[in-house]
Amino acid sequence: MSRSDLSRRGFLHSTAVGLGALGLSAGAAGAQTGSGGTPPGPDLPVAPTGRPQPALNGPNPRPTPPGERVGWAVCGLGHFAQNYVLPHVKEGVDSRLSGLISGTPEKLAAVGDAYGVPEAARFDYDMAGLAEADDIDVVYVVTPNAIHEENVVRAAEAGKHVFCEKPMATSPAAGQRMIDACAANGVKLGIAYRAHFEPHNVEAKRMIDAGELGRIEFVSSDHHRPLDPEATQDIWRMRKDLAGGGSLPDIGIYALNGLIWFMDEVPNRMIAQTHAPQYDDDRFAEVEAICNVLLEFPSGRRGQISSGYIADKKRIDIWGADGVAVLDPATSYMGNRLTVSTTDGTEQVAVDGPDERQFWAEIDHFSRHVRDGAELRITPEMGLRDLRLIEAIYASAERGAWVEVGPDGAMTG
C-alpha cells in the first residue's frame, strides 16, 4: 500500500474495526488518542459543550470579537479530535472553528452538522480548495504520526498556518521537511505540547523557577498507558511505519519533553533500554512496550524517564533540596494533582482553573502567535529536538551504550 493510500481512505478502511454508522475508524483518528489521558472511547461526534473557559492566568477576559478570532480547521476527526480538540476550539477566547478536514465523507457530514460547519468549509485530505477558504487561518493536524508530514506540507502550500500534534513526525528528516515547507510558504508552525498549559504543570514549573523547592538535582518522569490491540485508536500504534516507534514517541514524549522543560536544559548524554514482551496477538512485534532512559545534563544533574504500553501511570517527581513536588497524575486530560512534601509534611497544591484549560489555552496561545506575533512557547524547533532525542534513545538501546547529543538533540557520538 502506498503512503498516499495510507494517508487517505485506503488507510482508513484498511484499519477499520467495528465501525459505527458514521464510518469512524482508526485512520485519522486523533494522533494522540489515549496518550496521557482518559482511555480511548468510541468515536462519536461531540457537540459543543458551552463550558466557561478561564484564561491561562487570572479571571476570564472578555472574549475577542468574532471577527477578530483566528479561524481553525481540524484535520483528522477521530476520538481525540472530536472529544477534546473540537469542543475546546469552540471554547477559545481568541479562536473559532471554521473548517473540517477528513477522508471520510460520512464523518465530515456528521461532525460538520454537529458543529455548524458549512459544507463549503469541509475538505478531503487532498485539501483542494483550502487555499481559497479565507475564513480558515490555521489547520490543526490530528492524524497518525506518519501522515503529519503530508498534512502539514499541504496545509502550508495552501497558505495556512499549522498546529501539529506531537510527535511532530516519525523522523527528524520528516520534521525538518515540515519546518522547511512552512518557512517556504511564509506560514507559522506550532507543536501541541499541551502539558505546557496544564495548570498543575504550570504551577510546578513556577515553583522550580522561583526556587521554592530548593536546588533541583534529579527529576524522574514515567508515562505509561495500556495499549489495546482491538481498539481502533491503537491499531496503527502497533505499526512502526505509522507510529515511528512504540510507547516512547506515543506517550514517552510527555516524559521526555516535560523533563527538559522542568530542568530547563537539554541532556548531553543518555543510555536506554527497550523491551517488547511476547503476546499471542503479536501486539509488540514491531514496536517496544517499555522504554527506560537515564539522562545526564551539562550542569551535572541527572534524570530518568520511562514509557510503557502495559500499565496506566503518568507521574513526574521533582526532587529538590527543600521539597519534593509530585505530579500524579501529571498529564491526564483531567484529574491531575500536584503535591509538595517538605520536612513539615505533604500538601496538595491548589491551582487556578480546571485541567481542561490545557486544551483551549494552547489553541489560543497559537492563535495569538498567528494574529498578534506573540512569542511561541511550543515551537517546531522543540518538536524537532524531541524527534532527534527519540532517535538517539533508540540508537542507545540498540547499541547498549551511552550516546552523546548536542543542544539541538542530534547525536554527536
Side-chain angles (χ1 to χ4, degrees):
M1 184 179 295
S2 68
R3 172 59 53 84
S4 61
D5 288 335
L6 287 172
S7 62
R8 300 186 186 87
R9 295 182 183 85
F11 173 66
L12 297 174
H13 296 301
S14 69
T15 58
V17 174
L19 302 182
L22 296 179
L24 304 177
S25 65
Q32 303 303 318
T33 301
S35 295
T38 309
D43 284 335
L44 296 174
V46 177
T49 63
R51 293 192 300 266
Q53 70 285 16
L56 182 58
N57 293 295
N60 188 27
R62 170 180 282 183
T64 303
E68 298 177 19
R69 298 186 191 185
V70 176
W72 287 62
V74 176
C75 176
L77 301 178
H79 175 272
F80 180 75
Q82 291 191 50
N83 288 278
Y84 297 96
V85 174
L86 289 168
H88 292 109
V89 172
K90 292 284 291 188
E91 292 179 5
V93 172
D94 296 291
S95 314
R96 56 186 166 80
L97 181 63
S98 298
L100 299 170
I101 302 169
S102 175
T104 306
E106 297 85 358
K107 193 184 299 187
L108 274 174
V111 179
D113 290 348
Y115 280 86
V117 176
E119 292 187 16
R122 305 173 190 176
F123 302 91
D124 198 340
Y125 283 126
D126 60 14
M127 302 188 193
L130 181 63
E132 287 72 47
D134 295 335
D135 201 38
I136 296 174
D137 305 296
V138 176
V139 171
Y140 188 167
V141 173
V142 197
T143 53
N145 303 342
I147 310 172
H148 288 178
E149 180 185 354
E150 179 178 325
N151 298 148
V152 168
V153 170
R154 286 190 173 174
E157 290 176 344
K160 307 303 179 183
H161 306 289
V162 189
F163 198 61
C164 182
E165 267 301 329
K166 65 210 164 301
M168 68 182 293
T170 55
S171 71
Q176 186 63 62
R177 288 191 294 269
M178 293 158 63
I179 292 173
D180 293 344
C182 289
N185 288 280
V187 299
K188 301 179 184 298
L189 174 62
I191 310 302
Y193 286 106
R194 60 179 169 81
H196 288 243
F197 303 88
E198 197 283 322
H200 300 82
N201 284 260
V202 170
E203 176 61 13
K205 176 63 172 172
R206 186 203 65 77
M207 295 178 70
I208 294 170
D209 292 346
E212 296 178 10
L213 300 176
R215 179 172 175 148
I216 307 297
E217 290 291 348
F218 182 75
V219 176
S220 61
S221 184
D222 304 286
H223 279 68
H224 299 242
R225 67 97 163 169
L227 180 140
D228 183 354
E230 296 185 2
T232 58
Q233 298 94 339
D234 279 355
I235 292 174
W236 65 268
R237 286 182 165 88
M238 296 184 291
R239 290 181 52 178
K240 187 175 181 180
D241 62 331
L242 295 178
S247 67
L248 175 61
D250 183 22
I251 191 167
I253 195 167
Y254 289 93
L256 178 64
N257 183 270
L259 189 98
I260 294 170
W261 182 37
F262 289 138
M263 299 286 262
D264 199 24
E265 62 178 335
V266 179
N268 60 340
R269 295 183 75 225
M270 303 184 298
I271 188 167
Q273 291 181 328
T274 59
H275 177 52
Q278 292 185 347
Y279 279 71
D280 291 340
D281 55 21
D282 290 332
R283 67 185 68 178
F284 301 126
E286 297 185 23
V287 300
E288 84 282 351
I290 306 293
C291 181
N292 299 291
V293 190
L294 297 178
L295 309 98
E296 294 184 0
F297 293 83
S299 63
R301 297 183 294 173
R302 301 292 192 271
Q304 175 272 332
I305 67 171
S306 72
S307 65
Y309 269 157
I310 307 297
D312 187 12
K313 175 62 70 174
K314 296 97 183 170
R315 174 174 172 141
I316 299 174
D317 294 78
I318 305 160
W319 304 82
D322 299 331
V324 178
V326 177
L327 289 154
D328 184 16
T331 57
S332 290
Y333 299 154
M334 57 193 71
N336 296 309
R337 294 188 307 167
L338 170 62
T339 58
V340 175
S341 299
T342 67
T343 54
D344 296 326
T346 298
E347 178 184 2
Q348 184 169 332
V349 179
V351 300
D352 180 26
D355 299 357
E356 300 99 304
R357 185 176 67 184
Q358 61 191 298
F359 296 102
W360 64 73
E362 69 171 352
I363 290 166
D364 276 349
H365 174 72
F366 192 68
S367 287
R368 291 189 291 271
H369 174 62
V370 166
R371 186 191 62 204
D372 307 326
E375 182 180 0
L376 183 63
R377 283 190 267 160
I378 41 179
T379 65
E381 290 75 22
M382 177 187 289
L384 180 59
R385 176 205 69 196
D386 289 353
L387 291 179
R388 290 169 174 159
L389 289 170
I390 288 171
E391 183 178 64
I393 289 169
Y394 281 137
S396 172
E398 183 176 353
R399 300 174 189 176
W402 288 87
V403 297
E404 296 185 359
V405 299
D408 63 354
M411 286 185 287
T412 60

